[in-house]
Amino acid sequence: MERTTLDGTWTVEAVHGPAQADAHREPVAAIVPGCVHTDLLRAGRIPDPFDGDNEAATQWIGDTVWRYRRTFAWSGETGTGPTTHARHDLVAEGLDTLATIELNGIVVATTANQHRAYRFPVGHLLRPGTNELVITFDAPVPAAERLSALHGGELPHVNHHPYNALRKNASNFGWDWGIDVATSGIWKSIGIESWSGARIAAVRPLVDVDGTTGVLTAHVDVESAGSTGAFSQHIGSAPVAGVSGRAGLEARVTLTPHVTPGGADGHGAALAEQSTSAPGASGTEAAATSVGSGTVPPGRPSAPGATSVTSVRAVVDGTAVVRLEVPDVAVWWPRGEGDQPLYDVRVEVGDDVWTGRVGFRTVTLDTAADAGGAPFLLRVNDRPVIVRGANWIPDHAYLTEMTPERYADRIDDAIEANVNLLRIWGGGIYESDDLYDRCDELGVLVWQDFLFACAAYAEEPWLADEVEPEVREAVTRLSPHPSLVVWNGNNENLVAYAEWGWRPSLVGRTWGNGYYRSLLPSIVAELDPTRPYTPGSPFSFDEYLTPNDERNGSVHIWDVWNRLDYRAYADWNPRFVAEFGFQGPPAWSTLTAVVHDEPLDPDGHEMLVHQKADQGNRKLADGMRGHLPTPTSIEDWHFAAQLNQAHAIRFGMEWFRSRTPDNTGMIVWQLNDDWPVVSWALVDHAGIRKPVWYAVRQAYQPVLLTVQPSAAGAAGAAGAAGGFDVVLVNASGAPVADEVTVARVAFDGTVLDSSSFSLAAAPADADRVSLPASLAVPGDAGSEVLVVTGAGTRTVFDFAEAVDQVLARSPLSASVTATDDGAVVMVTATSYTRDVSLFPDRVDPAARVDDGLVSLLAGESVTFTVTGVPGIDPEALVGPLVLRHAGSLLP
């Protein structure tokens, strides 16, 4: 196999579109992979759509047909170049979206799916010397509207474009947190692959654990150079034409412990080597035995990664299934439950090679009916896992800006917030291997939605013919990753049909149910039966229940935020929460870099451009009411909105976790942003952790102590429903038992009462104790707190909302010491100080801080470490808008 890359410099030009497109008919330099927006930005042709109100000024880009063009040299039919091979395929790993491909003036193919790769034979079109490749992209917004009209009119969808008519990143058309920048372009690598004989078309290395034995079953699809057509239509399916009868064609699979860059293998042991030949070399003889296998004898030499196990299997009708066994296998565990050993897999067919990695583990999803309804309990290696998750959206509106480093930063944000699962939301994309690889290495579980979100999707051939190959390719590509533990059919489409008024509006039209109940589960059962599948999120696993029933399966909770105070989280008793969230603005520096209203105001023109939620600012104001003082300045509004988001999410998380083991987990909406915006994100688009991130880190700690009303659903004052309990929640993977001390403390530090209690919880369980009235009932709710200490953690429980507390405005003293990379700020409280936080980005947008949202008792101190800004002004770090706390919001 030889590859001639066609990545790099192209040109792009407007073909036709709105009047604004006329100024862009002259070609400009384009970079592939990329998209037209980044090309135009690089050329200085457009203002930054993220900035100010430029989103509206650049809408014409999504209404324009764009043409990418490049030339490349090709060697003659004789000689030593790639043309000596029998087959030359144009391989496009990602085209966005409706593309017409021409090579030397001849149409090669048209494509209609951003979520697929394509392979087309082009040897007959190549010529010695200079060749020209042209790819023309239809305008995505008019195309979506045109296809909707052509096939019966728009089907129900959220937002303002009929994105459900295209197999394209749905959020690329805008969302209630996302900018509308409908892109076009060659967004993944493209090139010509030249080969002879046979090539490995796809590999699915599926794993199982039988007792202490790891089992690898590698499904290998092989294509012959003599076959015709676009192989992308066959990926993940069998048989593959063009291979049967090729005597001697074998698939050789080798399994080796993965060696890290530091030289140590993933688990400190190596495999013994054993190689078995296939029962027969010809296709006919091999057909008598469907699976070739190799087994490693127990006991392994001590040299890490030095040996391996190999098995060989003859290829029959384009496929081979090779089975390998590893006694005493090193098992892969989720983060916090154990190690993440990985094994390298090498597949060889003729001269072609495929490499990947696997981790041996089992995963099941328990949704069997019980006395309380039906759980949603994930088990890995038969051990229950309490999910502490976050929803993931595309991390940049321009997908090609999502670099490996950016992926690494966001996943680090997740794991440092004690997140153990990322849900890849169905309105985005099947993510880069950069994400899944890092999750494999760090033990972060992945829930993968298929790409259907908040809309009805036609099941007729004009769309369905794209869906099946897309899904087959996605399942095949992602199957090696041990971090991937759940396939999910869609986001909110089932509950939309049941509760959003879709049913009468559809008038008998198809809407996607056949995908979620038939096509998708059948493909998963065929290609990846090692993982559970759920038809949708939310889903109740019972045909006679609404999909969002709190006592069955998974739920989404959006009445809080949209219309209810966040204390209404305590009115829910869900088995599993797959979505819930509360809004807050991004960091001050992130916001003011793109919003330039004079004066700056929450309802300013450019501010509202960066607030996509329906009535978002009203909901922010409603959400603060009764919790925090009414802000009187834009600076206080910004801090109060961020602080209220943190309080709301921590309240909900601690309530849900206190219901363990009846509640088996939650996935907060959302981890990240795709542009600078007021949103539900924990980390803003610039990579700055909002106060809510620190709240999540506290609420998601593996062992949690939380104070909750003694009676279910009672979130009122102490004593209103029987007082308070202290709950020990254990998601650590090991039993926890400790003496827990509870003290009622006045704001001046006086201990008014205290007592100790024994609490113990098994993994994935909780224990609780009811507090006596001397602790549960404050003498003055506005000037006392409960302090709960034990099991390696501490919780400060506020009897009253901040607006009702007697908090001091200036209770802090601070000292600052400069460092080579920033500064260390030590803060000491003279009285109880709630939610002490440092915002160094106000001094320098590059500054980052290691802690936040710290509540201090009188006399206590906290040290903040500021990094990323050598030479920062130390005194500026303790300014009144940089060092803040809840009391600083008081008038």
Side-chain angles (χ1 to χ4, degrees):
M1 177 79 70
E2 295 183 61
R3 180 178 174 86
T4 301
T5 183
L6 298 176
D7 294 347
T9 302
W10 292 52
T11 63
V12 64
E13 63 198 79
V15 179
H16 60 80
Q20 298 97 318
D22 291 340
H24 303 273
R25 294 185 182 275
E26 287 298 317
V28 298
I31 299 298
V32 170
C35 72
V36 67
H37 285 75
T38 54
D39 294 329
L40 295 175
L41 272 169
R42 190 181 303 107
R45 291 288 193 91
I46 60 170
D48 184 355
F50 290 4
D51 190 58
D53 60 359
N54 291 337
E55 177 186 11
T58 54
Q59 286 293 290
W60 61 270
I61 299 173
D63 294 333
T64 300
V65 176
W66 295 96
R67 180 166 291 149
Y68 280 75
R69 185 190 307 267
R70 72 158 293 165
T71 59
F72 60 96
W74 192 255
S75 61
E77 287 299 331
T78 60
T80 59
T83 52
T84 60
H85 286 289
R87 177 86 170 254
H88 310 284
D89 294 341
L90 178 67
V91 180
E93 296 179 15
L95 300 173
D96 177 15
T97 291
L98 299 174
T100 300
I101 305 168
E102 299 173 81
L103 180 57
N104 295 325
I106 305 298
V107 173
V108 175
T110 59
T111 71
N113 196 326
Q114 182 181 14
H115 308 304
R116 290 176 59 187
Y118 292 91
R119 175 182 293 268
F120 304 108
V122 294
H124 60 297
L125 299 177
L126 292 166
R127 61 195 183 198
T130 300
N131 291 253
E132 183 180 56
L133 182 62
V134 176
I135 303 180
T136 304
F137 293 94
D138 200 354
V141 174
E145 295 168 347
R146 183 179 68 248
L147 287 168
S148 293
L150 181 64
H151 297 288
E154 290 188 11
L155 289 167
H157 60 85
V158 299
N159 304 316
H160 52 290
H161 298 306
Y163 60 85
N164 46 337
L166 291 180
R167 297 308 299 153
K168 176 177 169 62
N169 171 11
S171 62
N172 192 218
F173 291 95
W175 215 261
D176 58 2
W177 39 257
I179 186 172
D180 182 355
V181 283
T183 56
S184 296
I186 307 168
W187 75 287
K188 290 187 177 183
S189 185
I190 188 169
I192 295 174
E193 292 186 357
S194 302
W195 54 287
S196 300
R199 72 173 187 92
I200 299 169
V203 177
R204 287 177 291 117
L206 305 182
V207 301
D208 195 8
V209 179
D210 184 2
T212 60
T213 298
V215 180
L216 173 71
T217 305
H219 300 256
V220 183
D221 289 347
V222 179
E223 184 189 19
S224 167
S227 64
T228 60
F231 186 80
S232 61
Q233 297 176 358
H234 304 287
I235 286 178
S237 62
V240 179
V243 176
S244 180
R246 288 183 54 85
L249 189 62
E250 295 178 329
R252 176 181 297 270
V253 181
T254 302
L255 186 67
T256 307
H258 178 68
V259 178
T260 64
D265 71 87
H267 48 82
L271 299 177
E273 182 175 8
Q274 177 172 327
S275 178
T276 60
S277 60
S282 72
T284 303
E285 187 175 357
T289 305
S290 61
V291 178
S293 64
T295 303
V296 186
R300 295 176 291 197
S302 58
T307 56
S308 59
V309 57
T310 299
S311 185
V312 181
R313 175 63 186 144
V315 176
V316 182
D317 290 333
T319 65
V321 182
V322 185
R323 188 174 189 271
L324 298 92
E325 295 184 355
V326 185
D328 193 25
V329 71
V331 176
W332 187 96
W333 289 98
R335 188 170 188 84
E337 304 282 343
D339 295 332
Q340 293 80 45
L342 298 171
Y343 292 78
D344 292 323
V345 181
R346 179 181 176 89
V347 179
E348 301 169 79
V349 176
D351 294 329
D352 202 8
V353 176
W354 178 96
T355 59
R357 298 185 309 189
V358 297
F360 287 94
R361 56 99 186 96
T362 62
V363 57
T364 58
L365 182 63
D366 181 3
T367 60
D370 60 21
F376 190 97
L377 176 59
L378 190 67
R379 286 192 175 92
V380 178
N381 302 322
D382 294 325
R383 182 185 297 176
V385 176
I386 301 299
V387 170
R388 291 164 285 139
N391 282 275
W392 172 281
I393 65 170
D395 198 50
H396 203 291
Y398 311 133
L399 298 178
T400 50
E401 300 301 299
M402 293 163 57
T403 62
E405 294 76 18
R406 191 171 178 92
Y407 277 112
D409 287 345
R410 289 299 80 73
I411 295 170
D412 287 349
D413 288 330
I415 62 174
E416 291 174 25
N418 295 309
V419 166
N420 67 356
L421 179 145
L422 293 175
R423 174 189 172 214
I424 313 301
W425 170 72
I429 60 173
Y430 304 108
E431 283 289 350
S432 165
D433 283 328
D434 293 325
L435 181 147
Y436 305 99
D437 285 344
R438 191 160 180 84
C439 288
D440 292 344
E441 295 160 2
L442 297 176
V444 179
L445 301 175
V446 174
W447 158 328
Q448 178 69 59
D449 280 11
F450 290 107
L451 303 184
F452 304 90
C454 302
Y457 290 84
E459 298 172 43
E460 286 70 37
W462 68 272
L463 194 65
D465 286 351
E466 286 296 331
V467 168
E468 179 167 357
E470 168 197 316
V471 171
R472 287 184 173 277
E473 180 178 326
V475 173
T476 297
R477 178 173 75 88
L478 300 182
S479 64
H481 295 285
S483 57
L484 177 57
V485 293
V486 175
W487 291 108
N488 177 58
N490 72 85
N491 176 74
E492 297 187 340
N493 296 346
L494 298 175
V495 71
Y497 182 82
E499 299 181 10
W500 295 4
W502 283 13
R503 185 178 179 185
S505 68
L506 287 166
V507 196
R509 297 174 67 185
T510 61
W511 56 278
N513 194 48
Y515 297 143
Y516 319 134
R517 305 302 184 96
S518 179
L519 178 66
L520 301 182
S522 68
I523 292 175
V524 170
E526 175 194 346
L527 302 182
D528 185 18
T530 68
R531 293 176 175 88
Y533 169 83
T534 173
S537 182
F539 191 65
S540 294
F541 298 94
D542 191 307
E543 295 300 319
Y544 299 98
L545 295 172
T546 176
N548 206 37
D549 183 84
E550 68 172 340
R551 302 306 298 154
N552 292 273
S554 61
V555 298
H556 292 189
I557 298 177
W558 286 112
D559 54 354
V560 177
W561 165 252
N562 279 319
R563 58 185 183 86
L564 298 179
D565 183 83
Y566 68 71
R567 287 194 167 269
Y569 281 131
D571 296 333
W572 286 79
N573 289 286
R575 307 302 295 268
F576 187 95
V577 187
E579 280 189 23
F580 71 109
F582 211 89
Q583 255 203 5
W588 182 262
S589 61
T590 305
L591 188 65
T592 56
V594 295
V595 174
H596 316 291
D597 297 319
E598 292 290 348
L600 199 62
D601 183 86
D603 294 315
H605 171 66
E606 292 186 7
M607 185 77 81
L608 292 179
V609 170
H610 294 81
Q611 164 61 281
K612 296 296 185 182
D614 179 43
Q615 303 180 64
N617 279 1
R618 179 190 63 77
K619 293 172 184 177
L620 283 174
D622 289 349
M624 293 184 218
R625 193 169 296 117
H627 299 287
L628 296 171
T630 301
T632 58
S633 69
I634 184 62
E635 290 84 3
D636 279 0
W637 172 86
H638 180 266
F639 176 52
Q642 285 198 327
L643 186 59
N644 201 58
Q645 179 189 26
H647 287 176
I649 292 302
R650 183 165 56 193
F651 179 89
M653 284 183 167
E654 292 196 13
W655 169 254
F656 299 142
R657 289 196 69 189
S658 76
R659 312 304 297 167
T660 305
D662 190 58
N663 178 277
T664 58
M666 67 207 71
I667 311 177
V668 66
W669 186 272
Q670 65 217 54
L671 176 68
N672 55 330
D673 274 331
D674 77 342
W675 76 307
V677 66
V678 181
S679 82
W680 298 262
L682 312 183
V683 182
D684 74 17
H685 185 66
I688 298 177
R689 296 167 174 178
K690 295 158 63 171
V692 67
W693 183 91
Y694 298 99
V696 169
R697 182 172 68 173
Q698 294 163 13
Y700 267 177
Q701 57 189 308
V703 178
L704 173 71
L705 285 171
T706 180
V707 178
Q708 297 292 336
S710 294
F724 291 110
D725 292 350
V726 170
V727 187
L728 173 69
V729 186
N730 182 17
S732 69
V736 173
D738 202 5
E739 286 289 310
V740 174
T741 299
V742 183
R744 185 162 58 87
V745 181
F747 281 10
D748 65 2
T750 303
V751 177
L752 303 173
D753 193 62
S754 68
S755 188
S756 295
F757 310 89
S758 294
L759 287 171
D765 207 346
D767 192 15
R768 66 175 60 218
V769 61
S770 293
L771 296 179
S774 61
L775 291 170
V777 181
D780 180 358
S783 61
E784 298 174 17
V785 292
L786 274 182
V787 182
V788 185
T789 308
T793 187
R794 184 182 89 164
T795 292
V796 178
F797 175 75
D798 294 278
F799 284 110
E801 299 291 344
V803 69
D804 298 319
Q805 290 178 309
V806 187
L807 297 167
R809 277 193 57 84
S810 302
L812 301 176
S813 61
S815 62
V816 187
T817 303
T819 66
D820 291 342
D821 194 32
V824 172
V825 181
M826 178 176 284
V827 179
T828 302
T830 58
S831 65
Y832 174 63
T833 310
R834 184 172 178 177
D835 301 318
V836 181
S837 299
L838 196 70
F839 298 96
D841 71 284
R842 281 181 167 268
V843 182
D844 189 319
R848 300 294 183 266
V849 65
D850 67 331
D851 207 352
L853 222 65
V854 181
S855 290
L856 297 175
L857 304 180
E860 291 185 337
S861 299
V862 62
T863 298
F864 297 106
T865 301
V866 177
T867 57
V869 281
I872 193 170
D873 177 9
E875 293 304 314
L877 290 173
V878 293
L881 297 178
V882 178
L883 178 60
R884 300 216 61 168
H885 54 93
S888 67
L889 290 169
L890 297 173

